[in-house]
């Protein structure tokens, strides 16, 4: 059950759009939220890299209720390519890329992918902000 209206933004996945997106997430949550901002950055960045720059995406950020009042922040990024699935890599010290999902995995309580015929949604949940 969601406790407040979610932030929902339709935009083009462009590297130059990420700073404004991060600010909008911070404004929506109203508190410092580096982990949530990191997740949004990595998920949109993956669309830019693996689906293509300029791909239309929907970004959704919502506070959710949990058991005993332990809520979470859910981040979802939906894109139109059902085939380009995220893969958690084990980057070596010399690799110049491949750490994005590892960072997301480190800060998120859980994450996953929901596939549909017309696209996919990559989501994660971060512990509630205090």
């Amino acid at each position: 059950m969601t406790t407040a209206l979610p932030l929902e933004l339709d935009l083009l996945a462009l590297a130059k759009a990420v700073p404004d997106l991060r600010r909008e997430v911070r404004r929506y949550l109203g508190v410092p939220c580096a982990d949530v901002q990191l997740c949004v950055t990595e998920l949109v960045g993956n669309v830019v890299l693996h689906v293509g720059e300029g791909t239309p995406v929907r970004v959704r950020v919502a506070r959710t209720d949990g058991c005993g009042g332990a809520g979470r922040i859910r981040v979802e990024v939906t894109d139109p390519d059902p085939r380009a699935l995220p893969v958690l890599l084990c980057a070596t010290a010399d690799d110049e890329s491949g750490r994005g999902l590892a960072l997301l995995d480190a800060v998120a309580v859980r994450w996953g992918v929901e596939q549909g015929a017309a696209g996919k949604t990559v989501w994660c949940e971060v512990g509630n902000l205090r």
Side-chain angles (χ1 to χ4, degrees), residues 40-70:
V40 167
T41 298
E42 293 305 329
L43 293 177
V44 172
N46 275 350
V47 174
V48 171
L49 289 172
H50 301 292
V51 180
E53 189 156 15
T55 299
V57 295
R58 169 165 281 187
V59 176
R60 185 174 187 276
V61 178
R63 293 179 182 268
T64 61
D65 288 334
C67 296

Side-chain angles (χ1 to χ4, degrees), residues 1 13 34 46 56 74 91 94 106 113:
M1 176 164 114
N46 275 350
R74 183 173 173 103
D94 294 330
V113 181

Side-chain angles (χ1 to χ4, degrees), residues 8-96:
E8 292 185 351
L9 301 167
D10 292 315
L11 58 123
L12 298 179
L14 300 167
K16 68 181 183 180
V18 171
D20 288 339
L21 180 57
R22 291 171 61 90
R23 279 190 288 280
E24 190 64 30
V25 168
R26 167 66 169 85
R27 198 170 12 259
Y28 166 74
L29 292 173
V31 294
C33 54
D35 289 350
V36 176
Q37 290 173 309
L38 171 75
C39 292
V40 167
T41 298
E42 293 305 329
L43 293 177
V44 172
N46 275 350
V47 174
V48 171
L49 289 172
H50 301 292
V51 180
E53 189 156 15
T55 299
V57 295
R58 169 165 281 187
V59 176
R60 185 174 187 276
V61 178
R63 293 179 182 268
T64 61
D65 288 334
C67 296
R72 295 182 179 162
I73 307 299
R74 183 173 173 103
V75 176
E76 300 174 355
V77 175
T78 302
D79 72 68
D81 189 344
R83 300 162 297 141
L85 298 176
V87 176
L88 182 59
L89 300 174
C90 187
T92 68
D94 294 330
D95 290 338
E96 294 185 18

